[in-house]
């Protein structure tokens, strides 16, 4: 190695080193190549790295699965508690009539809707990651569940023993056939939905939602609202519309509505018109005005339901105008029972579809609220 000065005043350096192959380099510089791991050793080392867990890693994994442990310790009770309590009361009041109505859509007793509005919220408060979504029943999901309930729910024979005439074997088979109530079918569908959602969560399928564009989410939300409106029209008019399935379901449903519109119950039409008008006036006029005066929201849903129930009872609308009523509501909580597990293979496909729709609905609402 040497150097000399160039004419410009700089230095030129020449580096000379011998050309060595891998064997000569290892011998001259005492280089030992690393051990080449086999397949079994590679799997063993990677498994140890994956299973190794520090205190911080364990804490992060737990708080990721139970988000309440991350935000509750830093919750500002002084500035947020009052508003959250008022919001919770408002949502709870709204869930009472909404839950009963959606239970009827699913072919279930109205009291089931109140249970659906109570138990999921307690679990979501512990495991939910969105602070703006209120978990509960949704019309499209209830309609899809009602389809399964209508296909599988049966009622036991209440007319006494069957008369064994003609084909006695067929009559005996009919008597011993397993029957399922609507609540049992809905319970096994809900259980399967939970299992499917857990599997999808373990597979991190929710990350695919990043491919859902804003236009797709907005379109899905609008379409869901259209389905909700369509499902409620027959109750607003007091008419009987057959259930349609398959393609062009909405078009056939409106065809049935228009064919039965002349047989609408005038009393139900008037009650529906008054209720919708009161709700619209409150949303567009009263609520903005009261928002400037006080932070306490008006429980318009509770007021409307209370006044409607009182008027229906005092005027005997059920007997006089044939207004459909909910009837007796049992008190207390139901006794826990196991669902019919033998129906799990039967409802598997429908449960997968319902789970995907329910997740997309929740994701759409969370995304809308996140923007606001």
């Amino acid at each position: 190695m040497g150097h000399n000065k160039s004419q410009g005043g700089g230095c030129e350096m020449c580096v000379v080193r011998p050309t060595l192959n891998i064997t000569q380099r290892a011998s001259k510089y005492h280089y030992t190549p690393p051990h080449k791991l086999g397949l079994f050793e590679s799997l063993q080392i990677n498994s140890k790295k994956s299973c190794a867990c520090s205190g911080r890693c364990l804490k992060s994994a737990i708080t990721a699965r139970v988000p309440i442990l991350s935000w509750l310790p830093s919750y500002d009770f002084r500035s947020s508690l009052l508003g959250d309590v008022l919001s919770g009361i408002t949502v709870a009041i709204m869930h009472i009539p909404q839950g009963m109505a959606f239970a009827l859509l699913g072919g279930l007793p109205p009291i089931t809707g109140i249970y659906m509005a109570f138990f999921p919220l307690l679990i979501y408060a512990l495991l939910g990651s969105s602070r703006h979504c209120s978990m509960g029943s949704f019309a499209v999901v209830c309609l899809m569940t009602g389809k399964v309930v209508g296909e599988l729910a049966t009622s036991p024979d209440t007319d006494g023993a069957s008369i064994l005439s003609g084909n006695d074997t067929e009559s005996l088979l009919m008597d011993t056939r397993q029957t399922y109530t609507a609540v049992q079918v809905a319970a096994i569908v809900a259980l399967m939905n939970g299992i499917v959602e857990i599997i999808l969560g373990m597979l991190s399928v929710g990350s695919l939602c990043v491919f859902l564009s804003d236009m797709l989410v907005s379109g899905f939300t609008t379409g869901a609202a259209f389905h909700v409106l369509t499902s409620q029209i027959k109750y607003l008019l007091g008419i009987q519309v057959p259930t349609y399935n398959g393609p062009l379901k909405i078009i056939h449903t409106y065809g049935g509505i228009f064919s039965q519109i002349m047989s609408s119950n005038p009393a139900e039409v008037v009650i529906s018109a008054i209720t919708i008008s009161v709700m619209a006036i409150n949303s567009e006029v009263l609520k903005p005005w009261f928002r400037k005066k006080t932070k306490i929201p008006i429980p318009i849903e509770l007021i409307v339901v209370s006044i409607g129930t009182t008027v229906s009872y005092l005027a005997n609308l059920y007997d006089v105008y044939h207004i459909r009523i909910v009837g007796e509501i049992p008190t207390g909580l139901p006794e826990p029972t196991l669902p019919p597990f033998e129906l799990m293979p039967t409802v598997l496909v429908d449960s997968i579809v319902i789970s995907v729709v329910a997740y997309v609905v929740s994701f759409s609402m969370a995304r809308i609220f996140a923007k606001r």
Side-chain angles (χ1 to χ4, degrees), residues 57-85:
C57 180
L58 180 61
K59 180 180 179 181
S60 176
I62 294 176
T63 54
R65 297 296 182 268
V66 188
I68 191 174
L69 299 178
S70 62
W71 61 262
L72 185 59
S74 59
Y75 183 79
D76 190 353
F77 287 88
R78 178 175 299 179
S79 61
S80 302
L81 182 62
L82 179 60
D84 288 343
V85 169

Side-chain angles (χ1 to χ4, degrees), residues 226-246:
F226 197 78
H227 277 273
V228 173
L229 174 63
T230 303
S231 66
Q232 300 296 315
I233 290 179
K234 60 182 179 181
Y235 299 106
L236 298 178
L237 301 178
I239 59 179
Q240 298 291 334
V241 179
T243 302
Y244 298 96
N245 295 311

